Amino acid sequence: MSDASTIRTTAGYSFPRVRLRRLRRTESLRALVRETEISPQDLILPLFIREGTSVRNDIASMPGVRQQSVDLALSEIKTAWELGIRAILLFGIPDHKDEVGSQAYDEHGVVQVAVREIKDRLPEMIVITDVCLCEYTSHGHCGLIRDGDVQNDDSLELLARTALSHVRAGADIVAPSNMMDGTVLAIRELLDAEGFQHVPIMAYSAKYASCFYGPFREAAESAPAFGDRRSYQMDPANVREAIREVDMDVIEGADIVMVKPALAYLDVISKVKERFDLPVAAYNVSGEFAMVKAAAMNGWLDERRAVMEILTSIKRAGADMIISYHSLDVCRWLSG
């Protein structure tokens, strides 16, 4: 054995002097040295809000998740608050859709009404609103269509108007998810011009064209009527492009940047966290949720252990906040 004075790192020692299992022997020891932990404050609860009252539609592909009118959603939001969750993310499902997604930026639209109700009942809850057109357009794409193609620049005004209408209703944060180039800048400029310089933007900066969105499209009724979204969402093969996307959103005024999905893109989360000083959000998406639920229902996985392992991996990769449909269950498990 080398002289002790020359040994500066654990690597300089060898078995049996070093036994790494010593700190794993009991749960108390493991907890004492644990490097990454999930807390309710890390979680954002996504909700699907429908127009009307007393509306509750279970989503077959997402057990335990539902579309609901705001009067019923308020009970779930109150429960989330009591469990320690401090932020929710709203997706609206209107009764009427058209070519230009007019209900997205209607002052009396489903999200705008919901935001007012929630802020009136639970003013301390952080309300984040998804800013996109896909749930509101008859064709299901995230922007205006001309000659069968999604128009980037012509869509920016409507997306910015949507964000402004959400903020006027009381939204604390707006979250553009459409992946149109220049969206963050268009929203930032309009919000600032209207006196809302204080409202943050959570940008879906690196949003991939993923198969893991399938259940969400059932929940939000937003599947494209033709084609797909690969011309504006990112190619799953690319990571350098993700850094460019995040960089552009930061330049344009994003306050929080997001990687979506999370589980298959942990390397992207890690690289974004290393490169940028902004808070990083990660979306543990519907397909990731549905996989665990299906496996657990078939007895193939321990749901609680699987969920906690997945969320821990997302936080360990660098996420500061995690949007997850598991949020309520996780908080119940954490509370014992």
Side-chain angles (χ1 to χ4, degrees):
M1 181 74 67
S2 303
D3 184 88
S5 63
T6 67
I7 299 171
R8 290 180 167 81
T9 66
T10 304
Y13 295 103
S14 62
F15 175 85
R17 185 171 182 178
V18 173
R19 293 179 181 267
L20 298 179
R21 288 181 56 187
R22 288 183 187 127
L23 297 179
R24 303 172 192 158
R25 194 165 51 86
T26 67
E27 175 54 31
S28 295
L29 277 171
R30 293 191 294 272
L32 184 67
V33 298
R34 189 161 292 143
E35 299 173 23
T36 307
E37 293 195 68
I38 299 294
S39 74
Q41 290 79 17
D42 298 325
L43 302 174
I44 299 171
L45 175 66
L47 296 165
F48 299 100
I49 307 297
R50 279 212 77 109
E51 289 192 84
T53 57
S54 301
V55 177
R56 178 187 173 114
N57 300 326
D58 291 336
I59 301 162
S61 58
M62 300 177 69
V65 180
R66 62 201 62 84
Q67 300 174 343
Q68 54 192 330
S69 50
V70 67
D71 58 314
L72 299 185
L74 282 166
S75 176
E76 188 169 338
I77 295 167
K78 182 180 179 183
T79 297
W81 180 266
E82 291 170 349
L83 288 169
I85 293 171
R86 294 295 176 258
I88 57 175
L89 173 61
L90 302 185
F91 296 93
I93 302 137
D95 288 340
H96 170 72
K97 302 188 180 193
D98 56 34
E99 288 290 308
V100 295
S102 60
Q103 290 298 299
Y105 39 91
D106 189 320
E107 296 295 336
H108 303 288
V110 57
V111 166
Q112 292 82 347
V113 169
V115 171
R116 293 186 190 100
E117 287 283 329
I118 294 164
K119 296 303 290 185
D120 182 59
R121 302 289 187 85
L122 287 165
E124 296 304 312
M125 178 65 84
I126 298 169
V127 177
I128 308 167
T129 57
D130 179 76
V131 176
C132 196
L133 299 181
C134 63
E135 299 105 316
Y136 305 91
T137 53
S138 52
H139 48 72
H141 278 284
C142 301
L144 301 178
I145 299 293
R146 186 183 304 125
D147 299 325
D149 190 34
V150 179
Q151 301 299 302
N152 190 100
D153 295 10
D154 292 345
S155 302
L156 298 182
E157 179 187 354
L158 299 186
L159 292 163
R161 284 175 59 188
T162 300
L164 178 61
S165 70
H166 291 176
V167 172
R168 282 176 171 162
D172 299 291
I173 301 173
V174 290
S177 63
N178 52 84
M179 289 299 286
M180 297 294 113
D181 292 335
T183 301
V184 172
L185 179 61
I187 292 173
R188 186 73 274 159
E189 288 183 340
L190 183 57
L191 292 184
D192 289 358
E194 294 293 327
F196 295 108
Q197 299 92 337
H198 61 285
V199 175
I201 297 174
M202 174 191 283
Y204 285 64
S205 300
K207 181 178 179 181
Y208 287 85
S210 172
C211 72
F212 290 107
Y213 303 149
F216 174 92
R217 289 171 182 168
E218 176 192 351
E221 300 179 7
S222 62
F226 63 89
D228 54 42
R229 296 179 178 140
R230 285 183 288 183
S231 68
Y232 45 100
Q233 293 178 358
M234 284 188 55
D235 186 331
N238 295 352
V239 64
R240 293 193 303 273
E241 183 185 6
I243 299 300
R244 293 182 64 195
E245 285 280 8
V246 174
D247 193 36
M248 287 302 298
D249 283 352
V250 172
I251 291 169
E252 290 180 13
D255 302 281
I256 302 168
V257 295
M258 186 193 302
V259 176
K260 179 182 180 182
L263 188 55
Y265 298 87
L266 297 177
D267 61 320
V268 181
I269 296 170
S270 179
K271 289 182 182 298
V272 168
K273 185 63 177 179
E274 288 174 3
R275 178 75 176 267
F276 300 95
D277 292 332
L278 276 68
V280 176
Y283 202 140
N284 179 213
V285 298
S286 60
E288 297 167 348
F289 171 86
M291 287 192 305
V292 173
K293 282 289 185 182
M297 290 168 68
N298 280 283
W300 299 335
L301 281 178
D302 179 312
E303 180 177 1
R304 177 173 176 170
R305 290 186 63 188
V307 170
M308 294 306 298
E309 189 171 337
I310 287 169
L311 295 187
T312 300
S313 76
I314 295 169
K315 186 173 182 182
R316 191 180 65 238
D320 298 291
M321 60 201 79
I322 304 170
I323 304 161
S324 178
Y325 302 98
H326 296 289
S327 294
L328 289 176
D329 283 339
V330 168
C331 290
R332 291 187 182 105
W333 296 333
L334 291 173
S335 67

